[in-house]
Amino acid sequence: MASKETCRQELRTAIRQLSDRCLYSASRWAAEQLVGIEQDPAKYTPSHTRFQRGSSSIRRRFRTDGAGDAAAAFNSTPVAGVSFISTPLASEEENDAVESDFYLLAKSYFDCREYRRAAHVLREQTSKKAVFLRCYALYLAGEKRKEEETMELEGPLGKSDAVNKELISLERELSGLRKCGTIDSFCLFLYGLVLKEKGNEGLARVVLVESVNNYPWNWSAWSELQSLCTTVEILNGLHLVNHWMKDFFLANAYQELRLHNESLAKYEYIQGTFSFSNYVQAQIAKAQYSLREFEQVEVIFEELLRNDPHRVEDMDMYSNVLYAKECFSALSYLAHRVFLTDKYRPESCCIIGNYYSLKGQHEKSVMYFRRALKLNKNYLSAWTLMGHEYVEMKNTPAAVDAYRRAVDINPCDYRAWYGLGQTYEMMGMPFYALHYFKKSVFLQPNDSRLWIAMAQCYKSEELHMPEEAIKCFKRAVNCNDREAIALHQLAKLHRELDRFEEAAFYYKKDLERMEAEEREGPNMVEALSFLARYCKDQKRFEEAEVYCTRLLDYTGPEKEEAKSLLRGIRSARDVELFPP
């Protein structure tokens, strides 16, 4: 990672340049990273220090196996002190027309969302800065009209064939500029965006790589490039400059490619320089959320809210954690907080929807998820969560539609595929369910719940494939089955197949786990009963007696069964000791 002072100077210049070109999202991202760089301790009191490296409140209390190796394997940028390939900042043009009254007027129109007026004002301006703003204004005018047509033709949640009608003319102009060699990095970014919208992903990647190599501080360009890296092979095939912004890109790309340990290692490496960055902390929380380390995720989000109490971004993930842990009061407080901050943000609507779902008010929950989709029809979490709510309401057609819309937006969303599998399983269609469970487990192979769901399909009467079910349950055990379902199911399946030795092995492992977790219940009784009978048949009478004695602590038929077994054990032992 480059030195902190170098990063600070580059970001300050980039913020001004990005804002001047109306790339406000990229400018905001750069500003957030600027204040995230560790400051001079002599200028700041301890009350200003947050997210310090090694802080017990936010650092990982335990590391997932392999994360340390991933840090070494995937840190492609040199360590501090090693020089980088220098990438000069885009020079300000000397042409007076760029800073003319026409440009200032066009920028004012742009800021007021009057995109066509902005483009018209710059129609005769030829500077690179003016050409970019004119083309960008036309692109956004086309996007705005496309959204209007979608609303008019199909409604806010419906599908539409509406397209951005400015793409053809923009592609023609920008490709001409690129061939002539007069295109700058910002127009390259826009050209890549246009090519992506038209489905020319290969050329879009090439163009976006040119853009970030020429001007690496435009996070919007990196984000668009990341969305085109759908496989590890594509990612590794990119020829990128060795700049510290590349680390942010790789960390984000690893996350989207489900390389969560590698992503986590990269962000922790970045944190060495950007110790105060809320963005980096939120991304670490995302990686840990994908690894199901909910305790750590909760700690990080609590720290984020203390330092940025009006933050709404990423808080929907925090609400998912609180929902999974059934923290009613904390989720209620979070919902109230985001409602007061900005109730018309998609994230806020999803948080409130989660709150009503936890209360069992599924109709209200659906209402808020639909509101989130009116604000952003491509908001993936809302489609998936709304599908879950329809499942709870037994409205399977609506659930299927919601999940399908989610996978249309992102085919790599394993939760939507899993939801489709669950829905078809409810409808008594295990072959369809199995197809969708296979897709989900391909995308998230380390989630035990998905393997268990697939195993249950194989167990169903229609499929009746016990051997395949056993394989799936074994994978679930290897994936740290926290609900402790797989061990018990493996024991039952082996018992049904008359494989008593294997059944005893899994019953014993299940029993040991229940004892370690201090759990009681019917599974404990079933395990003790089987092991008592198995040990008696194997003439391991002392072990059988131990299991029977434990069964005597239960009331009901189990107690009588234990007494009967004990009498049988003593009779069998007497016969063995004193044969007739």
Side-chain angles (χ1 to χ4, degrees), residues 63 66-79 254 261-262 264-266 268-269:
R63 181 179 293 277
D69 296 334
F74 286 87
N75 280 336
S76 59
T77 305
V79 295
Y254 293 152
N261 286 325
E262 291 82 349
L264 188 57
K266 181 64 77 174
E268 289 183 340
Y269 169 72

Side-chain angles (χ1 to χ4, degrees), residues 81-142:
V82 179
S83 62
F84 280 71
I85 298 172
S86 61
T87 307
L89 289 167
S91 60
E92 294 295 324
E93 296 178 348
E94 299 297 331
N95 191 342
D96 291 339
V98 174
E99 299 297 335
S100 68
D101 295 341
F102 288 105
Y103 186 82
L104 294 175
L105 176 60
K107 190 173 184 300
S108 299
Y109 284 147
F110 188 98
D111 292 343
C112 294
R113 295 171 59 85
E114 297 183 66
Y115 302 125
R116 294 198 181 278
R117 294 185 76 185
H120 180 74
V121 167
L122 295 173
R123 66 192 182 281
E124 295 180 358
Q125 302 296 321
T126 58
S127 67
K128 291 180 180 179
K129 200 172 180 182
V131 168
F132 169 75
L133 187 59
R134 175 174 55 78
C135 292
Y136 192 37
L138 284 172
Y139 172 79
L140 290 180

Side-chain angles (χ1 to χ4, degrees), residues 482-493:
R482 299 185 183 187
E483 287 80 14
I485 296 171
L487 282 173
H488 182 70
Q489 290 296 326
L490 279 168
K492 287 182 69 174
L493 274 171

Side-chain angles (χ1 to χ4, degrees), residues 186-209:
F186 296 100
C187 282
L188 280 170
F189 156 63
L190 183 57
Y191 185 30
L193 199 58
V194 169
L195 290 169
K196 179 189 168 188
E197 289 284 327
K198 294 195 69 180
N200 192 348
E201 296 186 356
L203 183 56
R205 274 193 295 270
V206 172
V207 170
L208 287 168
V209 166

Side-chain angles (χ1 to χ4, degrees), residues 29-74:
W29 186 91
E32 287 177 349
Q33 305 325 306
L34 175 62
V35 299
I37 297 174
E38 189 173 4
Q39 304 294 331
D40 183 355
K43 298 179 182 178
Y44 288 82
T45 61
S47 63
H48 287 81
T49 58
R50 55 194 177 91
F51 298 147
Q52 296 284 4
R53 296 192 76 196
S55 169
S56 60
S57 65
I58 55 116
R59 301 299 291 169
R60 303 186 75 211
R61 293 183 186 141
F62 55 90
R63 181 179 293 277
T64 305
D65 293 341
D69 296 334
F74 286 87

Side-chain angles (χ1 to χ4, degrees), residues 361-409:
Q361 299 181 21
H362 302 298
E363 291 82 3
K364 269 194 172 182
S365 181
V366 166
M367 180 183 75
Y368 276 97
F369 291 137
R370 291 184 70 85
R371 184 176 293 177
L373 291 167
K374 287 179 181 178
L375 296 167
N376 180 2
K377 72 177 188 304
N378 291 324
Y379 193 54
L380 183 65
S381 294
W383 284 114
T384 306
L385 292 172
M386 190 163 70
H388 295 343
E389 294 308 301
Y390 281 130
V391 168
E392 293 292 332
M393 296 163 65
K394 303 294 188 291
N395 188 347
T396 51
V400 168
D401 183 61
Y403 288 134
R404 288 196 184 281
R405 292 299 299 274
V407 297
D408 285 344
I409 295 166

